[in-house]
Amino acid sequence: MAKHKIAYLALSAPELDLVEQGLAGVDYDLQVHICSSEGEAIEAVKGADIILDLSVALTRRVIEEIDTAKAIVSFGHGFNHVDEVAATDHGIIVANTAGFCSEEVSDHTIMMILACAKKLTYLNNEVKAGRWDSSIRSRIVPMKAIDGSTLGLIGFGNIARTTARKAKVFGLEVIAYDPYVQPWIAREYRVELVPSMEEMASRSDFVSMHVPLSKSTEKLAGASLFKAMRSSAYFINTCRGPTVDESALIRALQTGEIAGAGIDVFEDEPTSSDNPLLKMDNVIVTPHTAGTSDASFDNGALQIGQEAARILRGTLPLSLANPGVLNVIERRPPGTNT
C-alpha cells in the first residue's frame, strides 16, 4: 500500500505524465476524480492526504468535509475557486503554481501596451477595409511615444515583476502600487512604489492590473481609479475580470476619461456578445488566453506535482496562497527547489 493518497480533482481528464514527474521520489497512489458538482467534490476529497485541484470549485462546504488532507494544491496563478479563508480556518495549506506562466502573461501585457499605443487593431481594420489614404496618419494622432512613458502596475508579484523587466526594454518608466511588497524588492527591479492607487494612476500612461482575485481585490479597479487616470492613458487587465468594476470601466471609456483599454479577462466569461467593450474601436480584447503556451501548460503540470511532493515530505510549498494558516498548523521548514 502506498504511503500517501493523492486526490486529483478536475473538470476533465488531466495529463498526468508531468505531474507524476514532479512527484518523483514520493510513495503515492494518485486517483483522478472528474467533478461536476459540489457533492462529487465532497466525495472525492475523502481520505486523501493531499488534494490537487484543476479548476474545481472547493467551497467552504467542500472544505468542511475534508477529513484527512493537510493541503490543497491548485493549478494556476489564480486560486479564487478555492475558499482559502475556509481552508485557513480548518488548518489546511493552500498552494498554487505561481510563476508557471509569468513569461506568457507579461508578454501578453506588453503586447497589449504596444498594440494600444500604436492603435494596431484600428490600423489593421482600416487597411483590410481598403481605407489607406493620405488622411490615415492624421486619424491616429495624438499618439504618445512609448519610450519615456510611464507604466503603472497594480500589484507587484511574479507577473508584474516580469512585466516591469520587459517594459524597461521599451524605455518605459515603471511605478507600482502594492502595500504588501517590501521596498527593497521594488528597488531590485528599479521600480518606484507609490503610496496609493490614485497617485499611481495619475502619473501613468498605462495602468496594468496584476493582483489575484479575492474578496479584498474584487472590483479593486473602479470609478475612482479611472477618474484619477489621464485622459490619454490606457488600462490593461490580464489577471482576473472581477478585479475590475466593468461597468465603471465602460463608463470611463464612453465618457473619454481614459483613452482605451486592452482586456484579456471579463467579469463574466465568456462575455456576452452585447458587452459594449466588444464594440469600441479603442478597446483590444482577447479571450482569457494571456497565460497560454505549450511551455506554460507543461510548467504548471510539473509544478503542481512538485508542490505536492514538498508538502508530503513535510515542508512548506514554495507558493503558499494562505499564509495565515502558518498560525494554526504545526511548524514546517521552508520548501526548496531541490
Side-chain angles (χ1 to χ4, degrees):
M1 179 181 293
K3 183 177 179 180
H4 301 292
K5 181 178 178 181
I6 301 174
Y8 195 161
L9 281 61
L11 299 175
S12 59
E15 293 289 336
L16 294 178
D17 288 350
L18 286 167
V19 176
E20 295 192 305
Q21 183 178 322
L23 285 161
V26 176
D27 181 18
Y28 67 91
D29 173 43
L30 189 154
Q31 296 183 357
V32 173
H33 303 267
I34 307 304
C35 301
S36 58
S37 69
E38 191 175 59
E40 289 175 341
I42 288 172
E43 289 303 313
V45 301
K46 297 291 188 183
D49 296 306
I50 193 167
I51 298 160
L52 309 187
D53 183 56
L54 182 57
S55 301
V56 173
L58 298 183
T59 62
R60 177 172 285 274
R61 183 171 172 231
V62 174
I63 288 169
E64 286 176 345
E65 295 294 329
I66 293 174
D67 51 359
T68 53
K70 302 295 185 185
I72 298 164
V73 185
S74 175
F75 185 107
H77 271 275
F79 50 91
N80 49 287
H81 55 287
V82 178
D83 190 330
E84 80 276 9
V85 175
T88 300
D89 291 344
H90 288 78
I92 298 171
I93 293 169
V94 178
N96 63 355
T97 57
F100 86 103
C101 63
S102 293
E103 297 297 338
E104 285 77 8
V105 179
S106 60
D107 286 346
H108 206 91
T109 301
I110 296 295
M111 177 192 73
M112 287 288 200
I113 291 169
L114 299 179
C116 285
K118 299 298 291 182
K119 303 185 180 178
L120 177 64
T121 55
Y122 172 78
L123 291 172
N124 173 75
N125 294 342
E126 289 293 282
V127 173
K128 287 184 174 179
R131 294 187 288 270
W132 183 344
D133 55 49
S134 58
S135 69
I136 195 164
R137 287 183 174 83
S138 64
R139 297 201 304 274
I140 59 174
V141 293
M143 180 183 283
K144 183 175 173 61
I146 297 166
D147 182 52
S149 291
T150 298
L151 168 62
L153 303 171
I154 301 176
F156 199 60
N158 289 315
I159 294 172
R161 295 171 198 179
T162 308
T163 300
R165 170 171 56 82
K166 294 174 181 178
K168 288 183 174 294
V169 175
F170 292 93
L172 285 155
E173 297 296 322
V174 184
I175 62 177
Y177 168 74
D178 191 327
Y180 304 104
V181 167
Q182 300 297 338
W184 56 82
I185 294 175
R187 284 198 296 271
E188 180 182 344
Y189 288 85
R190 294 181 293 124
V191 169
E192 178 191 351
L193 286 178
V194 295
S196 72
M197 262 198 325
E198 287 71 22
E199 178 182 336
M200 179 274 304
S202 70
R203 293 172 52 187
S204 298
D205 299 292
F206 306 93
V207 172
S208 187
M209 291 290 289
H210 296 283
V211 296
L213 176 59
S214 65
K215 290 186 174 75
S216 63
T217 62
E218 190 170 352
K219 297 192 177 181
L220 178 64
S224 61
L225 175 78
F226 302 125
K227 288 183 186 301
M229 287 175 63
R230 300 170 178 176
S231 61
S232 58
Y234 292 85
F235 179 76
I236 312 294
N237 190 13
T238 54
C239 62
R240 286 293 186 271
T243 63
V244 177
D245 183 336
E246 200 166 280
S247 296
L249 172 61
I250 291 168
R251 286 194 299 272
L253 289 160
Q254 290 173 334
T255 60
E257 281 184 347
I258 63 175
I263 305 298
D264 183 56
V265 288
F266 297 82
E267 278 190 350
D268 297 308
E269 295 180 349
T271 193
S272 167
S273 60
D274 295 328
N275 190 328
L277 292 171
L278 306 186
K279 306 178 189 306
M280 298 179 182
D281 289 337
N282 58 342
V283 177
I284 299 171
V285 294
T286 51
H288 199 151
T289 53
T292 303
S293 78
D294 295 342
S296 67
F297 283 124
D298 289 350
N299 291 341
L302 181 63
Q303 280 181 240
I304 198 172
Q306 291 171 332
E307 288 289 50
R310 291 184 186 99
I311 295 165
L312 290 172
R313 291 182 179 123
T315 73
L316 290 170
L318 294 184
S319 298
L320 180 63
N322 61 334
V325 78
L326 298 178
N327 298 319
V328 295
I329 64 172
E330 292 183 4
R331 185 182 179 280
R332 287 171 171 252
T336 66
N337 274 316
T338 56

mmCIF file of all heavy atoms in Angstrom, residues 140-181:
data_model
loop_
_atom_site.group_PDB
_atom_site.id
_atom_site.type_symbol
_atom_site.label_atom_id
_atom_site.label_comp_id
_atom_site.label_asym_id
_atom_site.label_seq_id
_atom_site.Cartn_x
_atom_site.Cartn_y
_atom_site.Cartn_z
ATOM 1 N N ILE A 140 -4.904 58.902 -36.562
ATOM 2 C CA ILE A 140 -4.396 58.132 -35.425
ATOM 3 C C ILE A 140 -3.618 58.994 -34.422
ATOM 4 O O ILE A 140 -3.053 58.471 -33.462
ATOM 5 C CB ILE A 140 -3.510 56.955 -35.883
ATOM 6 C CG1 ILE A 140 -2.316 57.452 -36.696
ATOM 7 C CG2 ILE A 140 -4.354 55.946 -36.641
ATOM 8 C CD1 ILE A 140 -1.328 56.347 -37.051
ATOM 9 N N VAL A 141 -3.597 60.292 -34.637
ATOM 10 C CA VAL A 141 -2.968 61.168 -33.639
ATOM 11 C C VAL A 141 -4.074 61.793 -32.787
ATOM 12 O O VAL A 141 -5.211 61.937 -33.245
ATOM 13 C CB VAL A 141 -2.098 62.254 -34.330
ATOM 14 C CG1 VAL A 141 -0.914 61.608 -35.005
ATOM 15 C CG2 VAL A 141 -2.928 63.088 -35.318
ATOM 16 N N PRO A 142 -3.750 62.160 -31.519
ATOM 17 C CA PRO A 142 -2.423 62.087 -30.913
ATOM 18 C C PRO A 142 -2.002 60.643 -30.612
ATOM 19 O O PRO A 142 -2.839 59.803 -30.279
ATOM 20 C CB PRO A 142 -2.594 62.878 -29.628
ATOM 21 C CG PRO A 142 -4.050 62.748 -29.292
ATOM 22 C CD PRO A 142 -4.766 62.726 -30.608
ATOM 23 N N MET A 143 -0.723 60.387 -30.734
ATOM 24 C CA MET A 143 -0.152 59.072 -30.442
ATOM 25 C C MET A 143 1.143 59.290 -29.660
ATOM 26 O O MET A 143 2.174 59.625 -30.224
ATOM 27 C CB MET A 143 0.122 58.284 -31.722
ATOM 28 C CG MET A 143 0.713 56.899 -31.461
ATOM 29 S SD MET A 143 1.100 56.005 -32.983
ATOM 30 C CE MET A 143 -0.539 55.471 -33.498
ATOM 31 N N LYS A 144 1.046 59.135 -28.352
ATOM 32 C CA LYS A 144 2.193 59.365 -27.483
ATOM 33 C C LYS A 144 3.250 58.293 -27.702
ATOM 34 O O LYS A 144 2.931 57.116 -27.856
ATOM 35 C CB LYS A 144 1.753 59.363 -26.015
ATOM 36 C CG LYS A 144 2.856 59.677 -25.016
ATOM 37 C CD LYS A 144 2.291 59.779 -23.607
ATOM 38 C CE LYS A 144 3.389 59.928 -22.573
ATOM 39 N NZ LYS A 144 4.206 61.125 -22.762
ATOM 40 N N ALA A 145 4.502 58.690 -27.712
ATOM 41 C CA ALA A 145 5.600 57.732 -27.856
ATOM 42 C C ALA A 145 5.647 56.800 -26.644
ATOM 43 O O ALA A 145 5.388 57.219 -25.508
ATOM 44 C CB ALA A 145 6.923 58.465 -28.004
ATOM 45 N N ILE A 146 5.983 55.544 -26.878
ATOM 46 C CA ILE A 146 6.109 54.581 -25.786
ATOM 47 C C ILE A 146 7.363 54.869 -24.971
ATOM 48 O O ILE A 146 7.328 54.869 -23.735
ATOM 49 C CB ILE A 146 6.131 53.149 -26.348
ATOM 50 C CG1 ILE A 146 4.809 52.831 -27.056
ATOM 51 C CG2 ILE A 146 6.385 52.131 -25.233
ATOM 52 C CD1 ILE A 146 4.854 51.598 -27.923
ATOM 53 N N ASP A 147 8.455 55.120 -25.647
ATOM 54 C CA ASP A 147 9.704 55.441 -24.964
ATOM 55 C C ASP A 147 9.520 56.717 -24.138
ATOM 56 O O ASP A 147 9.064 57.740 -24.646
ATOM 57 C CB ASP A 147 10.812 55.652 -25.995
ATOM 58 C CG ASP A 147 12.149 55.946 -25.349
ATOM 59 O OD1 ASP A 147 12.571 55.181 -24.474
ATOM 60 O OD2 ASP A 147 12.765 56.965 -25.728
ATOM 61 N N GLY A 148 9.840 56.627 -22.852
ATOM 62 C CA GLY A 148 9.684 57.776 -21.967
ATOM 63 C C GLY A 148 8.331 57.848 -21.286
ATOM 64 O O GLY A 148 8.135 58.705 -20.411
ATOM 65 N N SER A 149 7.385 56.977 -21.670
ATOM 66 C CA SER A 149 6.087 56.939 -20.995
ATOM 67 C C SER A 149 6.215 56.183 -19.675
ATOM 68 O O SER A 149 7.239 55.564 -19.374
ATOM 69 C CB SER A 149 5.037 56.256 -21.882
ATOM 70 O OG SER A 149 4.736 57.048 -23.007
ATOM 71 N N THR A 150 5.150 56.218 -18.875
ATOM 72 C CA THR A 150 5.160 55.581 -17.561
ATOM 73 C C THR A 150 4.127 54.471 -17.511
ATOM 74 O O THR A 150 2.973 54.659 -17.889
ATOM 75 C CB THR A 150 4.871 56.605 -16.454
ATOM 76 O OG1 THR A 150 5.903 57.597 -16.456
ATOM 77 C CG2 THR A 150 4.832 55.944 -15.077
ATOM 78 N N LEU A 151 4.560 53.324 -17.028
ATOM 79 C CA LEU A 151 3.676 52.181 -16.799
ATOM 80 C C LEU A 151 3.429 52.072 -15.305
ATOM 81 O O LEU A 151 4.371 51.975 -14.515
ATOM 82 C CB LEU A 151 4.320 50.890 -17.320
ATOM 83 C CG LEU A 151 3.658 49.568 -16.915
ATOM 84 C CD1 LEU A 151 2.231 49.487 -17.447
ATOM 85 C CD2 LEU A 151 4.493 48.381 -17.394
ATOM 86 N N GLY A 152 2.158 52.066 -14.908
ATOM 87 C CA GLY A 152 1.790 51.870 -13.517
ATOM 88 C C GLY A 152 1.230 50.475 -13.308
ATOM 89 O O GLY A 152 0.323 50.049 -14.034
ATOM 90 N N LEU A 153 1.762 49.762 -12.337
ATOM 91 C CA LEU A 153 1.347 48.388 -12.057
ATOM 92 C C LEU A 153 0.545 48.339 -10.765
ATOM 93 O O LEU A 153 0.994 48.854 -9.737
ATOM 94 C CB LEU A 153 2.569 47.480 -11.926
ATOM 95 C CG LEU A 153 3.513 47.448 -13.133
ATOM 96 C CD1 LEU A 153 4.786 46.686 -12.777
ATOM 97 C CD2 LEU A 153 2.833 46.823 -14.335
ATOM 98 N N ILE A 154 -0.619 47.722 -10.816
ATOM 99 C CA ILE A 154 -1.407 47.473 -9.605
ATOM 100 C C ILE A 154 -1.090 46.050 -9.165
ATOM 101 O O ILE A 154 -1.520 45.084 -9.784
ATOM 102 C CB ILE A 154 -2.909 47.655 -9.860
ATOM 103 C CG1 ILE A 154 -3.198 49.066 -10.356
ATOM 104 C CG2 ILE A 154 -3.697 47.370 -8.580
ATOM 105 C CD1 ILE A 154 -4.649 49.314 -10.721
ATOM 106 N N GLY A 155 -0.320 45.925 -8.106
ATOM 107 C CA GLY A 155 0.221 44.645 -7.676
ATOM 108 C C GLY A 155 1.631 44.484 -8.210
ATOM 109 O O GLY A 155 1.943 44.928 -9.334
ATOM 110 N N PHE A 156 2.497 43.882 -7.392
ATOM 111 C CA PHE A 156 3.888 43.712 -7.824
ATOM 112 C C PHE A 156 4.390 42.316 -7.451
ATOM 113 O O PHE A 156 5.420 42.158 -6.823
ATOM 114 C CB PHE A 156 4.787 44.803 -7.237
ATOM 115 C CG PHE A 156 6.090 44.963 -7.973
ATOM 116 C CD1 PHE A 156 6.102 45.290 -9.317
ATOM 117 C CD2 PHE A 156 7.291 44.759 -7.324
ATOM 118 C CE1 PHE A 156 7.299 45.409 -10.004
ATOM 119 C CE2 PHE A 156 8.506 44.880 -7.992
ATOM 120 C CZ PHE A 156 8.509 45.214 -9.340
ATOM 121 N N GLY A 157 3.625 41.310 -7.880
ATOM 122 C CA GLY A 157 4.017 39.923 -7.685
ATOM 123 C C GLY A 157 4.836 39.411 -8.851
ATOM 124 O O GLY A 157 5.452 40.188 -9.598
ATOM 125 N N ASN A 158 4.831 38.084 -9.035
ATOM 126 C CA ASN A 158 5.679 37.455 -10.055
ATOM 127 C C ASN A 158 5.468 38.029 -11.453
ATOM 128 O O ASN A 158 6.422 38.377 -12.149
ATOM 129 C CB ASN A 158 5.403 35.946 -10.096
ATOM 130 C CG ASN A 158 5.933 35.215 -8.888
ATOM 131 O OD1 ASN A 158 7.057 35.446 -8.465
ATOM 132 N ND2 ASN A 158 5.140 34.320 -8.326
ATOM 133 N N ILE A 159 4.211 38.116 -11.885
ATOM 134 C CA ILE A 159 3.932 38.550 -13.253
ATOM 135 C C ILE A 159 4.251 40.025 -13.429
ATOM 136 O O ILE A 159 4.838 40.437 -14.444
ATOM 137 C CB ILE A 159 2.473 38.243 -13.630
ATOM 138 C CG1 ILE A 159 2.258 36.722 -13.675
ATOM 139 C CG2 ILE A 159 2.103 38.868 -14.972
ATOM 140 C CD1 ILE A 159 0.816 36.305 -13.859
ATOM 141 N N ALA A 160 3.897 40.847 -12.452
ATOM 142 C CA ALA A 160 4.186 42.277 -12.547
ATOM 143 C C ALA A 160 5.688 42.535 -12.606
ATOM 144 O O ALA A 160 6.151 43.411 -13.350
ATOM 145 C CB ALA A 160 3.566 43.017 -11.364
ATOM 146 N N ARG A 161 6.455 41.782 -11.833
ATOM 147 C CA ARG A 161 7.910 41.967 -11.840
ATOM 148 C C ARG A 161 8.497 41.586 -13.194
ATOM 149 O O ARG A 161 9.392 42.261 -13.711
ATOM 150 C CB ARG A 161 8.547 41.138 -10.721
ATOM 151 C CG ARG A 161 8.136 41.594 -9.340
ATOM 152 C CD ARG A 161 8.587 40.633 -8.245
ATOM 153 N NE ARG A 161 7.819 40.871 -7.017
ATOM 154 C CZ ARG A 161 7.967 40.185 -5.897
ATOM 155 N NH1 ARG A 161 8.864 39.214 -5.824
ATOM 156 N NH2 ARG A 161 7.225 40.470 -4.835
ATOM 157 N N THR A 162 7.976 40.508 -13.779
ATOM 158 C CA THR A 162 8.438 40.103 -15.103
ATOM 159 C C THR A 162 8.037 41.136 -16.149
ATOM 160 O O THR A 162 8.817 41.454 -17.059
ATOM 161 C CB THR A 162 7.855 38.724 -15.467
ATOM 162 O OG1 THR A 162 8.120 37.805 -14.413
ATOM 163 C CG2 THR A 162 8.460 38.184 -16.742
ATOM 164 N N THR A 163 6.832 41.691 -16.005
ATOM 165 C CA THR A 163 6.372 42.749 -16.912
ATOM 166 C C THR A 163 7.262 43.976 -16.790
ATOM 167 O O THR A 163 7.631 44.596 -17.802
ATOM 168 C CB THR A 163 4.917 43.117 -16.604
ATOM 169 O OG1 THR A 163 4.087 41.966 -16.769
ATOM 170 C CG2 THR A 163 4.416 44.230 -17.512
ATOM 171 N N ALA A 164 7.617 44.352 -15.569
ATOM 172 C CA ALA A 164 8.466 45.524 -15.350
ATOM 173 C C ALA A 164 9.805 45.368 -16.054
ATOM 174 O O ALA A 164 10.309 46.304 -16.694
ATOM 175 C CB ALA A 164 8.669 45.753 -13.853
ATOM 176 N N ARG A 165 10.387 44.185 -15.928
ATOM 177 C CA ARG A 165 11.683 43.933 -16.574
ATOM 178 C C ARG A 165 11.584 44.132 -18.089
ATOM 179 O O ARG A 165 12.453 44.767 -18.704
ATOM 180 C CB ARG A 165 12.125 42.506 -16.246
ATOM 181 C CG ARG A 165 13.327 42.016 -17.038
ATOM 182 C CD ARG A 165 13.856 40.687 -16.532
ATOM 183 N NE ARG A 165 12.868 39.635 -16.514
ATOM 184 C CZ ARG A 165 12.537 38.904 -17.586
ATOM 185 N NH1 ARG A 165 13.095 39.143 -18.762
ATOM 186 N NH2 ARG A 165 11.637 37.922 -17.484
ATOM 187 N N LYS A 166 10.519 43.625 -18.683
ATOM 188 C CA LYS A 166 10.366 43.731 -20.135
ATOM 189 C C LYS A 166 9.990 45.145 -20.562
ATOM 190 O O LYS A 166 10.410 45.623 -21.624
ATOM 191 C CB LYS A 166 9.313 42.727 -20.609
ATOM 192 C CG LYS A 166 9.760 41.287 -20.406
ATOM 193 C CD LYS A 166 8.670 40.279 -20.731
ATOM 194 C CE LYS A 166 9.182 38.859 -20.479
ATOM 195 N NZ LYS A 166 8.151 37.834 -20.733
ATOM 196 N N ALA A 167 9.199 45.824 -19.728
ATOM 197 C CA ALA A 167 8.768 47.191 -20.073
ATOM 198 C C ALA A 167 9.954 48.134 -20.194
ATOM 199 O O ALA A 167 9.957 49.051 -21.034
ATOM 200 C CB ALA A 167 7.791 47.700 -19.018
ATOM 201 N N LYS A 168 10.953 47.922 -19.376
ATOM 202 C CA LYS A 168 12.112 48.807 -19.396
ATOM 203 C C LYS A 168 12.882 48.706 -20.707
ATOM 204 O O LYS A 168 13.557 49.656 -21.118
ATOM 205 C CB LYS A 168 13.013 48.519 -18.196
ATOM 206 C CG LYS A 168 12.397 48.993 -16.881
ATOM 207 C CD LYS A 168 13.295 48.790 -15.697
ATOM 208 C CE LYS A 168 12.680 49.406 -14.452
ATOM 209 N NZ LYS A 168 12.586 50.880 -14.540
ATOM 210 N N VAL A 169 12.788 47.571 -21.385
ATOM 211 C CA VAL A 169 13.438 47.409 -22.685
ATOM 212 C C VAL A 169 12.873 48.412 -23.691
ATOM 213 O O VAL A 169 13.594 48.889 -24.578
ATOM 214 C CB VAL A 169 13.263 45.968 -23.195
ATOM 215 C CG1 VAL A 169 13.820 45.805 -24.602
ATOM 216 C CG2 VAL A 169 13.935 44.982 -22.240
ATOM 217 N N PHE A 170 11.599 48.744 -23.530
ATOM 218 C CA PHE A 170 10.945 49.683 -24.447
ATOM 219 C C PHE A 170 11.049 51.133 -23.970
ATOM 220 O O PHE A 170 10.416 52.019 -24.537
ATOM 221 C CB PHE A 170 9.472 49.299 -24.626
ATOM 222 C CG PHE A 170 9.282 48.010 -25.361
ATOM 223 C CD1 PHE A 170 9.168 46.805 -24.676
ATOM 224 C CD2 PHE A 170 9.251 47.981 -26.748
ATOM 225 C CE1 PHE A 170 9.016 45.606 -25.350
ATOM 226 C CE2 PHE A 170 9.093 46.788 -27.431
ATOM 227 C CZ PHE A 170 8.978 45.590 -26.731
ATOM 228 N N GLY A 171 11.832 51.364 -22.928
ATOM 229 C CA GLY A 171 12.039 52.728 -22.450
ATOM 230 C C GLY A 171 10.961 53.241 -21.532
ATOM 231 O O GLY A 171 10.876 54.442 -21.281
ATOM 232 N N LEU A 172 10.119 52.346 -21.007
ATOM 233 C CA LEU A 172 9.065 52.760 -20.086
ATOM 234 C C LEU A 172 9.625 52.931 -18.672
ATOM 235 O O LEU A 172 10.406 52.111 -18.197
ATOM 236 C CB LEU A 172 7.943 51.726 -20.051
ATOM 237 C CG LEU A 172 7.002 51.693 -21.255
ATOM 238 C CD1 LEU A 172 6.362 50.324 -21.403
ATOM 239 C CD2 LEU A 172 5.930 52.761 -21.113
ATOM 240 N N GLU A 173 9.217 54.003 -18.018
ATOM 241 C CA GLU A 173 9.437 54.124 -16.587
ATOM 242 C C GLU A 173 8.351 53.301 -15.891
ATOM 243 O O GLU A 173 7.206 53.275 -16.352
ATOM 244 C CB GLU A 173 9.346 55.583 -16.151
ATOM 245 C CG GLU A 173 10.415 56.486 -16.762
ATOM 246 C CD GLU A 173 11.811 56.095 -16.309
ATOM 247 O OE1 GLU A 173 11.957 55.716 -15.128
ATOM 248 O OE2 GLU A 173 12.741 56.172 -17.127
ATOM 249 N N VAL A 174 8.676 52.644 -14.793
ATOM 250 C CA VAL A 174 7.708 51.764 -14.142
ATOM 251 C C VAL A 174 7.534 52.155 -12.680
ATOM 252 O O VAL A 174 8.512 52.315 -11.943
ATOM 253 C CB VAL A 174 8.142 50.283 -14.224
ATOM 254 C CG1 VAL A 174 7.057 49.379 -13.624
ATOM 255 C CG2 VAL A 174 8.429 49.882 -15.668
ATOM 256 N N ILE A 175 6.272 52.345 -12.294
ATOM 257 C CA ILE A 175 5.917 52.578 -10.899
ATOM 258 C C ILE A 175 4.871 51.528 -10.511
ATOM 259 O O ILE A 175 4.269 50.905 -11.383
ATOM 260 C CB ILE A 175 5.382 54.003 -10.662
ATOM 261 C CG1 ILE A 175 4.100 54.249 -11.473
ATOM 262 C CG2 ILE A 175 6.434 55.048 -11.010
ATOM 263 C CD1 ILE A 175 3.472 55.616 -11.238
ATOM 264 N N ALA A 176 4.685 51.317 -9.222
ATOM 265 C CA ALA A 176 3.763 50.257 -8.802
ATOM 266 C C ALA A 176 3.097 50.616 -7.486
ATOM 267 O O ALA A 176 3.679 51.294 -6.638
ATOM 268 C CB ALA A 176 4.492 48.926 -8.671
ATOM 269 N N TYR A 177 1.876 50.118 -7.338
ATOM 270 C CA TYR A 177 1.158 50.190 -6.058
ATOM 271 C C TYR A 177 0.953 48.781 -5.552
ATOM 272 O O TYR A 177 0.315 47.955 -6.213
ATOM 273 C CB TYR A 177 -0.198 50.890 -6.220
ATOM 274 C CG TYR A 177 -1.075 50.723 -4.999
ATOM 275 C CD1 TYR A 177 -0.807 51.427 -3.831
ATOM 276 C CD2 TYR A 177 -2.157 49.831 -5.009
ATOM 277 C CE1 TYR A 177 -1.591 51.248 -2.698
ATOM 278 C CE2 TYR A 177 -2.952 49.657 -3.882
ATOM 279 C CZ TYR A 177 -2.656 50.367 -2.733
ATOM 280 O OH TYR A 177 -3.435 50.189 -1.606
ATOM 281 N N ASP A 178 1.537 48.483 -4.403
ATOM 282 C CA ASP A 178 1.344 47.188 -3.752
ATOM 283 C C ASP A 178 1.718 47.352 -2.283
ATOM 284 O O ASP A 178 2.903 47.371 -1.945
ATOM 285 C CB ASP A 178 2.195 46.102 -4.407
ATOM 286 C CG ASP A 178 1.820 44.702 -3.918
ATOM 287 O OD1 ASP A 178 1.431 44.573 -2.738
ATOM 288 O OD2 ASP A 178 1.918 43.746 -4.717
ATOM 289 N N PRO A 179 0.720 47.471 -1.399
ATOM 290 C CA PRO A 179 1.028 47.704 0.021
ATOM 291 C C PRO A 179 1.648 46.513 0.721
ATOM 292 O O PRO A 179 2.069 46.631 1.875
ATOM 293 C CB PRO A 179 -0.347 48.041 0.608
ATOM 294 C CG PRO A 179 -1.333 47.376 -0.290
ATOM 295 C CD PRO A 179 -0.726 47.444 -1.659
ATOM 296 N N TYR A 180 1.725 45.358 0.055
ATOM 297 C CA TYR A 180 2.246 44.147 0.687
ATOM 298 C C TYR A 180 3.691 43.822 0.282
ATOM 299 O O TYR A 180 4.269 42.863 0.777
ATOM 300 C CB TYR A 180 1.349 42.953 0.354
ATOM 301 C CG TYR A 180 -0.094 43.174 0.733
ATOM 302 C CD1 TYR A 180 -1.053 43.460 -0.232
ATOM 303 C CD2 TYR A 180 -0.499 43.132 2.069
ATOM 304 C CE1 TYR A 180 -2.381 43.682 0.117
ATOM 305 C CE2 TYR A 180 -1.813 43.352 2.426
ATOM 306 C CZ TYR A 180 -2.750 43.628 1.437
ATOM 307 O OH TYR A 180 -4.058 43.859 1.797
ATOM 308 N N VAL A 181 4.243 44.610 -0.617
ATOM 309 C CA VAL A 181 5.594 44.339 -1.116
ATOM 310 C C VAL A 181 6.607 45.212 -0.401
ATOM 311 O O VAL A 181 6.394 46.426 -0.234
ATOM 312 C CB VAL A 181 5.656 44.569 -2.646
ATOM 313 C CG1 VAL A 181 7.091 44.617 -3.137
ATOM 314 C CG2 VAL A 181 4.900 43.455 -3.367
#
